[in-house]
Amino acid sequence: MDYQVARHNMVENQVRTNKVTDPLVIAAMEEVPRELFLPEGKRGIAYVDEDIPVGDGRFAMEPMVIARLMQSAQIAETDVALVIGAGFGYGSALISRVAETVVAVESNKEMSAAAEAVCQKLNYDNVIVVEGDLASGYAKQAPYNVIVFDGAVCEVPAAILDQVAEGGRLLAVVREAGKVGIARLYERENGVVGHRDLFDANIPYLPGFEPVESFVF
């Protein structure tokens, strides 16, 4: 399979056709080899326009959604970014092509090791993979100019909103129980965090961020 052709077709048919016009985002999507950030048995479907299950209840986010989240974040080359739920590292690698530094938090030991290995192989030296609890973010390096959740959440934890810098942006697909997922932009201005909805996106939940079931007796 010619992955470079498949990658270019993904950009032309999935990314550009879905309102992604930022040249830096498009260049990152053209450059980063998505197939290397998947388990070997999944590489043949690396460029399909859907979320790809990668094990342990995790998914590689649909390319169009991560591209639109990146574009909405308006990432600058001086920005420090945090990725929550990095998985095998594809989203973190994409963001690293635009931001100055990316801190990628992943709770699965095997996935974090794989993400770190692939980023090293590709010389993406500005990606720092940290193994840790996703819901805690990574306060040690906070605040961040950009925070991106690599999967849906029922709500954004206050502990992670606290890690957004003044003027910073947080992007997440928020899926409340029984509702359609909505890509949402949170921004901190004058110490206050506000948000606005961007577009529909029904991607799978990150483990641990699903709605809590309520039982009626």
Side-chain angles (χ1 to χ4, degrees):
M1 181 175 180
D2 190 328
Y3 288 116
Q4 192 166 355
V5 170
R7 187 156 58 249
H8 179 68
N9 289 340
M10 174 195 73
V11 171
E12 294 300 312
N13 300 325
Q14 299 175 37
V15 177
R16 289 185 186 272
T17 56
N18 279 289
K19 303 179 182 177
V20 179
T21 56
D22 185 324
L24 295 177
V25 174
I26 289 170
M29 300 295 288
E30 286 272 19
E31 175 193 338
V32 177
R34 182 171 164 89
E35 70 277 5
L36 296 185
F37 293 91
L38 293 173
E40 212 161 313
K42 301 284 187 178
R43 291 180 180 178
I45 57 169
Y47 296 101
V48 298
D49 57 346
E50 57 189 56
D51 307 296
I52 300 173
V54 295
D56 197 29
R58 304 295 285 278
F59 292 77
M61 193 190 299
E62 182 182 344
M64 177 273 287
V65 177
I66 185 65
R68 291 191 69 179
L69 292 176
M70 284 178 65
Q71 177 169 270
S72 300
Q74 298 183 321
I75 304 166
E77 62 182 8
T78 54
D79 281 348
V80 177
L82 173 68
V83 175
I84 306 291
F88 285 102
Y90 177 65
S92 305
L94 287 172
I95 293 168
S96 80
R97 301 302 82 206
V98 185
E100 182 174 48
T101 305
V102 177
V103 177
V105 179
E106 177 47 55
S107 56
N108 180 294
K109 187 174 184 179
E110 290 74 23
M111 288 182 186
S112 62
E116 186 171 29
V118 178
C119 286
Q120 287 179 352
K121 178 181 177 181
L122 295 171
N123 294 318
Y124 295 168
D125 299 329
N126 59 335
V127 179
I128 302 161
V129 182
V130 178
E131 188 186 334
D133 174 51
L134 303 186
S136 301
Y138 194 63
K140 189 175 180 181
Q141 294 292 331
Y144 301 94
N145 308 106
V146 174
I147 298 178
V148 177
F149 279 83
D150 206 333
V153 299
C154 66
E155 62 180 356
V156 176
I160 295 178
L161 282 173
D162 287 345
Q163 295 173 38
V164 178
E166 178 64 28
R169 290 82 63 206
L170 182 150
L171 277 297
V173 174
V174 179
R175 276 180 62 196
E176 297 175 14
K179 295 185 179 180
V180 173
I182 302 285
R184 187 170 288 171
L185 168 65
Y186 297 79
E187 296 177 280
R188 183 183 296 281
E189 292 185 16
N190 300 317
V192 178
V193 176
H195 73 263
R196 58 189 170 93
D197 294 345
L198 303 173
F199 58 92
D200 292 352
N202 254 344
I203 62 172
Y205 287 109
L206 275 174
F209 291 92
E210 307 93 336
V212 177
E213 288 187 24
S214 56
F215 295 96
V216 178
F217 295 97

